[in-house]
Amino acid sequence: MAFSPLCLNFFVSLLLITFSLARCVRRIEPGLQREADRVDRLPGQPPVNFKQYAGYVTVNESHGRALFYWFFEATHTPHRKPLLLWLNGGPGCSSIGYGEAEELGPFFPQNSSQPKLKLNPYSWNQAANLLFIESPVGVGFSYTNTSSDIKELGDMVTAEDSYNFLINWFQKFPQFKSHEFYIAGESYAGHYAPQLSELIFENNKKASKENYINFKGFMIGNAAIDDEADQTGMMDYAWDHAVISDRLYHNIKSKCNFSNEHPSRGCDVAISEYFQVYGIIDMYSLYTPTCTNERNTYSARRRPFIQGDVAPHFLSKFDGWHRRPAGYDPCASEYTAEYLNRPDVQQALHANVTKIPYPWTHCSEIIKDWNDSPVSILPTIKKLVAGGLRVWIYSGDTDGRVPVTSTRYALRKLGLPIIEDWTPWYTNQQVGGWRVLYDGLTFVTIRGAGHEVPTFAPKQSLQLITHYLANQKLPSAPF
């Protein structure tokens, strides 16, 4: 059938309109997706002047893998502030349950008969646009529709899924693509952060303009970065801080070779005795109280490997030691778990949309296997330092799990020249800790802080991240 010129012109015009509409839809789609994730007000939330978003980003369409995120714009001038991704460790622990709700996020759940959030006066979104993700799948609200994925998890999968998350998240939030991007984290994020950093660093070399990430560096605290140094330092610190006896210390020293992946039976017995002491005091913060809440059933069912890490060969042997502190209120994790398991909270956060058949927990109870975990991350750190990234490592000095002693042993292995040795830094009139400036890396201690530094030293930790992002040395004199 022949078209008349009038019909042909109409048909061509219709095609042009259709293509134009398609382009418009593509342009507005990120905005629509972003607004769908906008969190207006959470149950019990105080009023705030910054925007927040929460929801899911698919990281593997064929498997149905999606990571849950919670994002807070900076309190002031978010269009000029950098973007910071925070990661907690585990492996298998939630960056929202720890990082957001008990350490450095804007909102802390409170002990109350009604849902109640307290505004954190030292939230890190004063310094940056702040992004939290629950990674890998199986942690918190993050999920997969392919059940076999849970058995395939390890460092490599976690890094790849986190990278895919970032690429897709920036498509949803393109206004932040040009911002400087940094990663920070603690504990087993001593693996996560450098590994994700390396993936971004390498992929940026061949990335298209659309997928290029304006990545500048990473900062890790009380971080598991070298098995031998971490474990040796843990035992030395315990003895030096009067946690274990001379007899037990010398028994461990004589029977354990932490550079050996297959410890002897005698070493296993000695280590088991070592962990018994942490049934009565807090391993992650030696000098703060433990939770004595009569309702407290939380610690008995928690299963973090390392919001502290022994080593892969110890994981199955010691399932009772992994309690963690929760700051000045040692029962804060109880409040967080109660809050995030409320249906009205999950609805407000656009979370648990697939109706996950288990409750939200700080550390995953379905992740049983971890398939790859390098014994040392030091080669990766050294590579990224040489690549020009900004790298800071910090340590709260009352943590018994990945103590400052372990970090100092590990940094010694890096062999970097020291530019400025052990120098005090200040918070107002008081010494906040000490710092060492290596060639390409900064090491900072925080006085009186446990494993989760922002929980125990919130003012100093905000000072730390502010100076890190500005690439400024911490103050060398009282002010």
Side-chain angles (χ1 to χ4, degrees):
M1 182 177 73
F3 284 102
S4 69
L6 184 62
C7 288
L8 186 60
N9 287 337
F10 174 77
F11 183 68
V12 170
S13 298
L14 188 61
L15 282 175
L16 290 173
I17 291 171
T18 302
F19 290 144
S20 297
L21 285 172
R23 285 197 297 270
C24 287
V25 168
R26 283 196 296 270
R27 281 200 296 271
I28 65 175
E29 186 180 8
L32 291 175
Q33 292 176 347
R34 184 169 63 251
E35 285 307 305
D37 287 355
R38 179 79 177 269
V39 177
D40 295 321
R41 187 81 173 260
L42 292 162
Q45 178 199 304
V48 295
N49 62 355
F50 54 83
K51 294 179 181 178
Q52 57 176 320
Y53 302 82
Y56 287 93
V57 171
T58 299
V59 296
N60 187 307
E61 288 190 10
S62 63
H63 283 225
R65 290 208 302 270
L67 299 183
F68 181 76
Y69 79 93
W70 196 352
F71 171 61
F72 302 91
E73 289 191 357
T75 54
H76 299 91
T77 60
H79 60 286
R80 293 205 296 263
K81 292 283 200 310
L83 174 65
L84 177 70
L85 170 66
W86 173 266
L87 300 170
N88 278 87
C93 295
S94 168
S95 300
I96 286 171
Y98 290 149
E100 193 294 312
E102 297 168 27
E103 296 187 67
L104 55 109
F107 302 129
F108 290 175
Q110 299 296 291
N111 184 22
S112 174
S113 59
Q114 299 295 324
K116 183 179 179 182
L117 292 174
K118 175 185 176 182
L119 194 62
N120 174 15
Y122 299 103
S123 173
W124 284 16
N125 74 325
Q126 295 177 53
N129 298 287
L130 191 54
L131 177 61
F132 299 91
I133 64 173
E134 292 189 307
S135 176
V137 293
V139 174
F141 296 123
S142 296
Y143 67 88
T144 176
N145 293 330
T146 306
S147 58
S148 60
D149 283 350
I150 301 298
K151 296 181 179 180
E152 304 299 324
L153 296 176
D155 284 13
M156 186 178 299
V157 170
T158 302
E160 290 172 350
D161 278 1
S162 297
Y163 178 78
N164 290 333
F165 169 91
L166 290 172
I167 294 298
N168 295 333
W169 187 88
F170 277 119
Q171 292 178 7
K172 187 180 286 193
F173 291 85
Q175 69 271 36
F176 290 102
K177 273 190 64 66
S178 62
H179 291 224
E180 290 188 347
F181 175 66
Y182 299 88
I183 301 171
E186 71 191 11
S187 198
Y188 198 81
H191 283 224
Y192 290 168
Q195 289 166 334
L196 177 56
S197 296
E198 182 180 30
L199 202 53
I200 297 171
F201 180 77
E202 291 298 331
N203 286 345
N204 268 352
K205 294 176 181 179
K206 55 182 182 293
S208 64
K209 182 179 179 182
E210 182 183 12
N211 290 337
Y212 184 86
I213 297 174
N214 189 20
F215 181 52
K216 299 299 181 180
F218 65 91
M219 181 173 74
I220 48 178
N222 291 84
I225 52 178
D226 182 84
D227 283 359
E228 189 273 332
D230 293 343
Q231 293 165 52
T232 300
M234 185 168 63
M235 302 307 163
D236 290 351
Y237 183 91
W239 178 81
D240 196 47
H241 285 73
V243 171
I244 60 175
S245 67
D246 291 1
R247 176 199 59 79
L248 178 56
Y249 177 67
H250 291 299
N251 196 23
I252 292 170
K253 283 295 200 181
S254 65
K255 294 183 178 178
C256 294
N257 176 6
F258 292 120
S259 61
N260 186 347
E261 292 190 19
H262 304 286
S264 66
R265 171 63 182 165
C267 178
D268 280 350
V269 171
I271 295 295
S272 182
E273 184 180 353
Y274 162 82
F275 279 122
Q276 288 175 12
V277 71
Y278 292 115
I280 56 174
I281 65 170
D282 200 325
M283 185 182 204
Y284 293 84
S285 179
L286 295 187
Y287 306 117
T288 52
T290 58
C291 181
T292 56
N293 189 337
E294 290 182 359
R295 299 184 303 122
N296 181 22
T297 57
Y298 170 73
S299 62
R301 55 183 166 79
R302 290 185 65 257
R303 196 176 175 276
F305 297 155
I306 156 178
Q307 234 329 86
D309 157 268
V310 182
H313 53 264
F314 286 130
L315 293 181
S316 62
K317 296 182 174 66
F318 308 107
D319 216 28
W321 61 270
H322 5 262
R323 293 193 70 257
R324 64 173 287 284
Y328 301 112
D329 185 341
C331 300
S333 290
E334 290 290 320
Y335 319 147
T336 301
E338 289 176 8
Y339 187 82
L340 290 177
N341 276 298
R342 290 180 60 96
D344 56 347
V345 171
Q346 294 179 5
Q347 183 177 6
L349 286 172
H350 318 117
N352 199 14
V353 294
T354 58
K355 303 303 178 187
I356 299 169
Y358 46 82
W360 181 96
T361 56
H362 282 76
C363 295
S364 175
E365 296 177 358
I366 67 168
I367 297 176
K368 310 290 186 184
D369 303 299
W370 199 255
N371 291 289
D372 60 291
S373 177
V375 296
S376 181
I377 302 295
L378 295 178
T380 301
I381 293 174
K382 194 163 189 177
K383 169 186 174 179
L384 296 174
V385 167
L389 293 179
R390 187 182 311 160
V391 180
W392 284 28
I393 296 178
Y394 67 90
S395 183
D397 63 10
T398 65
D399 174 26
R401 185 59 202 88
V402 189
V404 63
T405 308
S406 297
T407 302
R408 294 172 78 178
Y409 288 167
L411 290 176
R412 188 184 302 167
K413 288 186 175 185
L414 276 177
L416 297 173
I418 294 176
I419 306 301
E420 180 183 305
D421 209 355
W422 207 251
T423 305
W425 63 272
Y426 286 82
T427 298
N428 299 122
Q429 298 295 309
Q430 301 296 324
V431 173
W434 278 264
R435 67 164 187 259
V436 179
L437 303 184
Y438 293 92
D439 186 10
L441 183 148
T442 295
F443 172 57
V444 179
T445 73
I446 298 89
R447 287 182 66 210
H451 191 67
E452 285 128 336
V453 167
T455 299
F456 299 101
K459 183 176 181 180
Q460 295 94 316
S461 77
L462 180 58
Q463 184 181 4
L464 175 74
I465 189 60
T466 300
H467 281 74
Y468 168 77
L469 293 173
N471 198 21
Q472 295 176 344
K473 290 199 300 186
L474 288 156
S476 302
F479 59 93

